[in-house]
């Protein structure tokens, strides 16, 4: 992967990997639908197709009713779900989530985790979640613990 | 991302910062407005000069005493002449140069013209009977003097429209005696109105036969001879023939200058071209300053939207997509500014034309094309640096900035 060109890396991020951030990173001036459309814009998907697909993915994450809201009109949990929809829209095999629940209260964070689990189960998406929260880690199939940049444990979650 | 999509994103971003976009655009608006207005002004002046020259008569040559290498206005005051240009020279041109259809010798001087209690200082022109044909100006009432009047040196006068109004009012001037510089002349005609042409009021003249003028001014030297060639094709040949004839008559010395109407016009046009280019160049500086304003704002914008750039890259934007996005934004900014500048320049010219109808509207298509191409080029030129900076951002670092 280190040998790939800048354009190849962009294509990789576009199609193979979905990114979910702690602070959502939605474009503030675009609606939920437009935010979810964006990866497809860069993938060269025609306008109509990408509208339909974005709408479908938003339905999937349970936001079918809030498609035309801008991020500042959405709650934290809703924004994270828009971000997840955006990460999913090009059907990547891998989702990288960096502290996806870090900015959410525990109840909403729990809903997000449920969504992740459902995606994993139903769509076969591989999830890599970075977290400080042992309760989040406890729900994963494999946990790699890092301390000062070194792997100190690798295996199923400790109960 | 296609161009249409980029333009939409760019317009959206520009609309988000209306005041900032507007002020940045203003720099380009002023630059384009200034360039177009000044270029048009130059063209307007050229059109005006061309029109005045056409009204002067066609296929003209101007013969002035003294040899000069450069062409341009009239003879230099106090220039040393080897030979005078005489009425005999003028007559010889008419008789012996076949490519010439008309000759008008000219003597002029400022003199007092009086009738009863009214008087006026005006230009007294002594000339020949062919003057109306050569100079393309007709008497409105009465008639111009004929060959016999000139040959006999009769004291008859044809007055300009302004002179008639000032001295005679509503009275009929024909047949009245006008005192020209102390000598009575009988009025036989009034010229048609012509107005000011190239800074010279043709209505404020009185015309007398050149023979009478010689006596009045007490000189046999002509100020100039106006010669009309038979056709446009014969102008250059006529000029050569007139030059050769006068050289022969003046003992083999070329001591006259023969300029054609075309040479006079092209000299003036050269001057106006240089003037226009200089003015446009100065105005172009303001366009460059406007371009720097765009670059400045785009750099600020790239910094402000570092995070957005990071997000876009994270979800798959290539560096090229980011480059195009910011480039389109600066080009849209400068193009809109350019378009407003063109419209503004056009509006001001129409308004100026309504106020001063003598000022021709001269928005040339190429000036507009130039302005639009130029403003787009400025958008690209000054947008490339900020856009490259944006496109080269590392997505990880860009996402980390707050």
């Amino acid at each position: 992967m280190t040998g790939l060109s800048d354009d190849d890396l962009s294509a990789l991020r576009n199609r193979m990997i979905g990114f979910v951030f702690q602070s959502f990173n939605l474009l503030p001036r675009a609606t939920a639908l437009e935010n979810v459309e964006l990866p497809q814009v860069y993938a060269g998907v025609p306008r109509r197709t990408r509208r339909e697909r974005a709408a479908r993915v938003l339905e999937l994450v349970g936001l079918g009713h809030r498609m035309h809201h801008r991020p500042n009109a959405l709650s934290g949990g809703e924004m994270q779900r828009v971000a997840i929809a955006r990460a999913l829209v090009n059907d990547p095999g891998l989702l990288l989530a960096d502290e996806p629940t870090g900015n959410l209260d525990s109840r909403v964070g729990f809903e997000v985790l449920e969504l992740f689990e459902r995606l994993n189960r139903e769509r076969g998406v591989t999830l890599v979640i970075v977290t400080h929260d042992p309760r989040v880690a406890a729900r994963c199939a494999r946990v790699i613990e890092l301390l000062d940049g070194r792997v100190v444990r690798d295996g199923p979650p400790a109960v | 991302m296609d161009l249409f999509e980029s333009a939409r994103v760019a317009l959206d971003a520009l609309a988000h910062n209306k005041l900032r976009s507007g002020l940045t655009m203003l720099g380009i608006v002023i630059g384009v407005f200034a360039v177009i207005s000044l270029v048009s002004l130059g063209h307007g002046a050229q059109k005006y000069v061309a029109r005045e020259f056409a009204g002067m008569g066609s296929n003209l040559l101007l013969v002035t005493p003294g040899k000069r290498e450069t062409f341009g206005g009239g003879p230099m005051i106090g220039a040393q002449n080897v030979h005078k240009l005489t009425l005999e020279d003028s007559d010889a041109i008419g008789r012996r140069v076949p490519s010439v259809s008309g000759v008008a010798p000219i003597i002029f001087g400022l003199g007092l013209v009086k009738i009863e209690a009214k008087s006026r200082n005006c230009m007294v022109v002594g000339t020949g009977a062919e003057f109306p044909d050569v100079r393309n100006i007709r008497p409105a009432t009465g008639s111009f003097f004929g060959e016999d009047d000139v040959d006999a040196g009769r004291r008859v006068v044809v007055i300009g429209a302004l002179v008639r109004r000032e001295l005679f009012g509503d009275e009929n001037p024909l047949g009245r005696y006008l005192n020209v510089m102390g000598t009575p002349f009988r009025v036989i005609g009034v010229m048609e109105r012509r107005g000011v042409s190239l800074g010279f009021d043709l209505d404020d003249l009185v015309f007398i036969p050149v023979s009478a003028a010689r006596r009045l001014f007490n000189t046999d030297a002509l100020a100039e001879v106006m010669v009309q060639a038979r056709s446009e094709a014969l102008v250059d040949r006529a000029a050569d023939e007139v030059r050769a004839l006068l050289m022969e008559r003046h003992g083999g010395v070329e001591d006259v200058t023969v300029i054609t109407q075309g040479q006079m016009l092209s000299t003036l046009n050269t001057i106006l071209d240089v003037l226009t280019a200089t003015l446009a160049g100065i105005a172009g500086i303001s366009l460059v300053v406007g371009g720097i304003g765009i670059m400045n704002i785009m750099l600020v914008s790239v910094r402000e939207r570092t995070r957005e750039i990071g997000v876009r890259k994270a979800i798959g934007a290539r560096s090229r997509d980011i480059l195009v996005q910011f480039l389109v934004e600066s080009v849209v900014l400068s193009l809109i500014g350019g378009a407003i500048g063109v419209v503004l320049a056009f509006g001001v010219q129409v308004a100026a034309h309504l106020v001063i109808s003598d000022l021709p509207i001269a928005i040339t298509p190429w000036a507009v094309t130039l302005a639009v191409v130029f403003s787009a080029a400025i958008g690209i030129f000054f947008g490339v640096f900020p856009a490259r900076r944006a496109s080269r951002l590392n997505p990880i670092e860009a996402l980390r900035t707050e």
Side-chain angles (χ1 to χ4, degrees):
Chain A
M1 208 165 85
T2 49
L4 290 179
S5 72
D6 188 48
D7 279 2
D8 290 339
L9 286 173
S10 288
L12 190 77
R13 290 194 294 265
N14 190 229
R15 284 150 216 251
M16 320 280 273
I17 307 172
F19 290 89
V20 178
F21 306 94
Q22 180 176 3
S23 49
F24 324 131
N25 278 332
L26 301 175
L27 297 188
R29 276 181 281 111
T31 64
L33 190 68
E34 286 165 347
N35 267 291
V36 178
E37 274 186 64
L38 205 56
Q40 304 177 84
V41 170
Y42 291 119
V45 178
R47 195 185 180 81
R48 175 177 297 207
T49 324
R50 84 185 179 231
R51 274 268 129 102
E52 287 166 4
R53 256 162 72 177
R56 232 180 15 247
V57 180
L58 276 169
E59 300 272 2
L60 181 77
V61 300
L63 278 179
H65 59 298
R66 316 221 48 159
M67 278 193 265
H68 299 290
H69 290 68
R70 280 169 210 275
N72 59 11
L74 298 173
S75 71
E78 286 170 333
M79 281 197 271
Q80 194 59 301
R81 280 189 282 167
V82 173
I84 293 167
R86 183 179 65 186
L88 284 175
V89 76
N90 279 349
D91 284 323
L94 175 67
L95 221 59
L96 293 180
D98 178 14
E99 299 271 14
T101 57
N103 273 0
L104 304 172
D105 59 45
S106 56
R107 188 182 58 79
V108 178
F110 181 74
E111 283 170 20
V112 167
L113 287 176
E114 280 197 322
L115 177 59
F116 277 153
E117 282 166 352
R118 206 177 89 219
L119 293 171
N120 179 246
R121 209 169 46 237
E122 291 172 8
R123 294 172 66 113
V125 180
T126 305
L127 279 149
V128 176
I129 300 173
V130 178
T131 184
H132 282 104
D133 188 342
R135 285 171 301 169
V136 174
R139 301 179 64 138
C140 299
R142 179 180 167 196
V143 177
I144 301 169
E145 263 178 54
L146 292 173
L147 183 67
D148 297 332
R150 289 166 164 273
V151 176
V152 293
R153 205 182 84 85
D154 186 350
V159 185
Chain B
M1 183 137 73
D2 61 26
L3 223 56
F4 175 74
E5 193 69 32
S6 304
R8 210 179 56 81
V9 170
L11 281 174
D12 190 54
L14 294 176
H16 185 69
N17 268 314
K18 284 195 185 67
L19 182 63
R20 185 206 274 182
S21 307
L23 288 173
T24 310
M25 232 179 252
L26 196 59
I28 297 294
V29 171
I30 291 170
V32 167
F33 170 73
V35 169
I36 295 197
S37 295
L38 289 172
V39 169
S40 303
L41 202 67
H43 277 268
Q46 277 182 351
K47 264 193 187 172
Y48 171 79
V49 167
R51 205 174 56 198
E52 291 298 314
F53 264 72
M56 220 168 87
S58 44
N59 312 328
L60 292 188
L61 310 170
L62 190 64
V63 184
T64 50
K67 173 74 190 152
R68 283 181 301 124
E69 298 298 336
T70 51
F71 301 123
M76 280 205 300
I77 292 162
Q80 288 279 312
N81 302 328
V82 182
H83 276 91
K84 293 170 185 170
L85 196 57
T86 63
L87 191 53
E88 290 69 33
D89 289 330
S90 165
D91 289 342
I93 295 169
R95 268 183 288 119
R96 291 179 47 194
V97 182
S99 53
V100 163
S101 63
V103 180
I106 308 269
I107 304 181
F108 56 83
L110 204 61
L112 193 66
V113 177
K114 277 195 293 196
I115 180 139
E116 290 153 11
K118 291 182 185 165
S119 69
R120 183 171 182 82
N121 255 312
C122 55
M123 194 69 85
V124 179
V125 178
T127 187
E130 287 169 351
F131 180 84
D133 294 326
V134 172
R135 196 60 178 70
N136 193 24
I137 178 171
R138 310 271 150 215
T141 38
S143 56
F144 209 75
F145 39 81
E147 295 291 353
D148 51 332
D149 295 317
V150 177
D151 291 343
R154 282 195 195 112
R155 289 174 183 156
V156 289
V157 62
V158 179
I159 60 178
L162 183 67
V163 179
R164 181 231 168 118
R165 203 182 69 210
E166 291 297 318
L167 295 184
F168 294 97
D170 294 332
E171 294 170 46
N172 181 7
L174 297 184
R176 303 278 298 273
Y177 278 87
L178 190 66
N179 186 315
V180 179
M181 301 170 77
T183 311
F185 280 72
R186 186 164 55 87
V187 178
I188 59 165
V190 180
M191 297 307 275
E192 63 187 359
R193 290 186 62 89
R194 255 309 159 74
V196 179
S197 166
L198 296 171
F200 200 68
D201 191 350
L202 289 169
D203 297 338
D204 201 11
L205 303 174
V206 301
F207 299 94
I208 58 176
V210 63
S211 45
R214 283 214 294 189
R215 262 175 285 140
L216 204 61
F217 296 128
N218 193 24
T219 177
D220 60 350
L222 300 177
E224 61 189 40
V225 180
M226 290 187 117
V227 180
Q228 187 170 39
R230 281 194 193 281
S231 71
E232 203 181 332
L234 286 174
V235 170
D236 288 331
R237 195 167 119 205
D240 290 340
E241 287 172 353
V242 167
R243 206 175 285 124
L245 173 74
L246 291 178
M247 204 166 140
E248 177 200 317
R249 287 178 59 85
H250 292 183
V253 189
E254 192 179 336
D255 58 357
V256 295
T257 304
V258 183
I259 345 167
T260 67
Q261 208 173 2
Q263 283 168 332
M264 286 186 251
L265 187 58
S266 70
T267 305
L268 278 173
N269 275 340
T270 309
I271 296 169
L272 286 172
D273 276 342
V274 171
L275 212 66
T276 305
T278 311
L279 289 174
I282 293 168
I285 293 173
S286 67
L287 210 49
V288 171
V289 173
I292 293 171
I294 286 189
M295 178 146 91
N296 201 4
I297 276 313
M298 291 310 296
L299 283 172
V300 171
S301 177
V302 168
R303 169 135 314 167
E304 275 180 358
R305 283 149 69 190
T306 303
R307 208 181 168 84
E308 175 191 326
I309 295 162
V311 173
R312 285 179 184 273
K313 282 201 157 180
I315 61 173
R318 288 164 304 175
S319 296
R320 190 177 352 130
D321 294 321
I322 302 297
L323 181 85
V324 168
Q325 181 190 337
F326 279 88
L327 209 50
V328 166
E329 198 170 313
S330 67
V331 170
V332 165
L333 200 60
S334 65
L335 267 184
I336 295 176
I340 296 173
V342 169
V343 171
L344 198 65
F346 190 70
V348 165
Q349 274 194 37
V350 170
H353 181 73
L354 289 180
V355 178
I356 314 161
S357 56
D358 243 9
L359 223 62
I361 296 180
I363 288 259
T364 48
W366 76 263
V368 174
T369 316
L370 192 79
V372 170
V373 169
F374 213 71
S375 51
I378 276 189
I380 292 172
F381 184 80
F382 289 101
V384 157
F385 176 65
R388 284 186 84 90
R389 179 174 274 199
S391 73
R392 284 179 181 172
L393 284 173
N394 180 321
I396 297 169
E397 275 162 30
L399 275 171
R400 250 188 226 146
T401 47
E402 280 311 311

